[in-house]
């Protein structure tokens, strides 16, 4: 028997021990890591630069030619309170008697004030300076 030919033709088993399951283990680890990264990325909050939207808060200042207002969420009553920004006097208060939900947060975008309720995911859209509800949208 020629030794050189015998060394070239190694004996191979159809299912090498640990080969098939080792490959599955590697594929499973890769799939787990990719899934974890996907979930982590999708649950992280978007930055303001990426969305271009002003973040929701408890205090908003709004100005036009004849108004300079501070719109504040009162933490004790969860009502929307409007103050004059020049002298600090309260101008109006909007609560559940006025058809507003218990306010969780507010956000300003142009002449629109977005008011988010605390008990359910419903957003009220108020037009400034009238402060009248234009629409109630479900999120």
């Amino acid at each position: 028997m020629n030794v050189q030919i015998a060394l070239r033709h190694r004996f191979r088993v159809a299912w090498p021990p640990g080969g098939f399951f080792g490959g599955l283990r590697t594929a499973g680890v890769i799939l787990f890591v990719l899934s974890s990264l996907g979930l982590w990325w999708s649950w992280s909050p978007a930055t303001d630069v990426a969305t271009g939207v002003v973040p929701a808060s408890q205090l908003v200042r709004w100005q036009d030619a004849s108004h300079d207002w501070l719109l504040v969420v009162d933490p004790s009553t969860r009502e929307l309170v409007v103050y004059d920004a020049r002298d600090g006097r309260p101008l109006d208060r909007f609560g559940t008697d006025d058809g507003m939900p218990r306010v969780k947060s507010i956000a300003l975008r142009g002449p629109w004030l977005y008011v988010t309720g605390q008990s359910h995911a419903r957003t009220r859209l108020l037009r400034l300076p009238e402060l009248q509800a234009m629409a109630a949208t479900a999120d």
Side-chain angles (χ1 to χ4, degrees):
M1 176 181 205
N2 192 348
V3 177
Q4 291 177 347
I5 294 175
L7 289 177
R8 284 188 199 163
H9 299 289
R10 270 186 22 206
F11 179 76
R12 293 187 182 198
V13 178
W15 295 102
F20 178 73
F21 294 110
L24 282 180
R25 186 177 312 134
T26 304
V29 169
I30 290 172
L31 182 64
F32 175 76
V33 169
L34 290 176
S35 299
S36 298
L37 286 174
L39 288 174
W40 174 74
W41 176 77
S42 67
W43 283 342
S44 62
T47 62
D48 298 334
V49 176
T51 60
V53 177
V54 178
S57 65
Q58 304 288 326
L59 171 71
V60 169
R61 183 175 185 182
W62 181 78
Q63 296 177 342
D64 71 351
S66 60
H67 301 94
D68 190 8
W69 288 349
L70 289 175
L71 301 137
V72 181
V73 176
D74 184 359
S76 62
T77 61
R78 305 312 284 173
E79 293 179 334
L80 178 65
V81 185
V82 181
Y83 292 97
D84 188 346
R86 294 182 190 116
D87 59 11
R89 65 185 165 92
L91 299 175
D92 209 347
R93 221 175 164 85
F94 297 96
T96 54
D97 297 339
D98 302 311
M100 294 287 288
R102 291 179 52 84
V103 180
K104 178 180 179 184
S105 63
I106 55 177
L108 181 68
R109 181 144 190 175
W112 301 102
L113 181 70
Y114 295 86
V115 180
T116 305
Q118 187 176 21
S119 60
H120 47 79
R122 187 163 281 254
T123 301
R124 286 281 180 138
L125 183 62
L126 302 178
R127 181 158 177 81
L128 296 170
E130 297 90 10
L131 286 171
Q132 293 176 349
M134 292 293 149
T137 59
D139 289 51

